[in-house]
Amino acid sequence: MEIDVHDLNSMRFADSPFVVRIDGANYARSIQKVNPDGSLTFFCAIEEGLELRVAHGVGLVDNLDQTFSGIRDELDQPQLLIACDCILRKLEIAQNGLDAPVAGIFQSHNTVDFSSYGELFHGVHVNQTLTGIAIGSFRDPVLV
């Protein structure tokens, strides 16, 4: 699919992020903007010579629901979930009309969310992610 350089914008970048492969795992690298000289500015560091691939999200709502179900498998109803959602993930949600189902999942799990420009995971800066902290009681307490 060919895209005119003038059609490159935040919504297009949210829909088709780049990924870089590090130690066998893919990590998203989101574009912030196209510069007047045609170069790209990313939301995170990009080392010269890195091979980037175009990616496409799949099943965002189902994935979110499965993740939150996994939390509920370990905790009774969470008292609070604090979620940090990458801004381009928020754009992807808005662009694909997923605001209502995502908000419903957040509400049913007592989630407070805010946006960021990416997170650190094992020392690697990643974009288009959701990270968070779940606060609650374990379903089956571990005795120490």
Side-chain angles (χ1 to χ4, degrees):
M1 165 170 50
E2 287 190 32
I3 299 168
D4 187 273
V5 70
H6 301 298
D7 292 332
L8 295 175
N9 56 39
S10 296
M11 297 308 250
R12 178 74 66 182
F13 300 147
D15 188 49
S16 302
F18 286 108
V19 294
V20 61
R21 197 155 183 84
I22 300 173
D23 294 331
N26 289 319
Y27 295 94
R29 295 288 187 255
S30 298
I31 300 170
Q32 182 181 26
K33 64 181 178 179
V34 177
N35 298 309
D37 66 358
S39 64
L40 302 172
T41 297
F42 286 76
F43 279 110
C44 58
I46 297 291
E47 294 180 25
E48 190 173 326
L50 280 180
E51 181 179 315
L52 300 171
R53 300 177 193 156
V54 177
H56 300 282
V58 291
L60 188 144
V61 173
D62 288 339
N63 186 292
L64 184 63
D65 194 41
Q66 288 173 3
T67 299
F68 278 50
S69 292
I71 293 169
R72 289 187 78 169
D73 287 346
E74 291 192 33
L75 299 176
D76 282 329
Q77 176 66 25
Q79 295 170 3
L80 176 67
L81 279 160
I82 302 169
C84 181
D85 218 351
C86 183
I87 190 67
L88 284 179
R89 195 176 124 89
K90 285 277 211 196
L91 289 175
E92 179 184 357
I93 290 166
Q95 178 174 297
N96 292 308
L98 302 174
D99 296 298
V102 169
I105 293 169
F106 282 172
Q107 287 173 354
S108 68
H109 291 88
N110 301 323
T111 305
V112 175
D113 71 305
F114 58 95
S115 296
S116 71
Y117 289 108
E119 292 76 41
L120 285 177
F121 180 72
H122 293 290
V124 177
H125 188 202
V126 292
N127 300 123
Q128 287 193 248
T129 52
L130 172 73
T131 59
I133 298 171
I135 300 171
S137 299
F138 282 106
R139 187 173 297 279
D140 297 318
V142 178
L143 300 175
V144 184

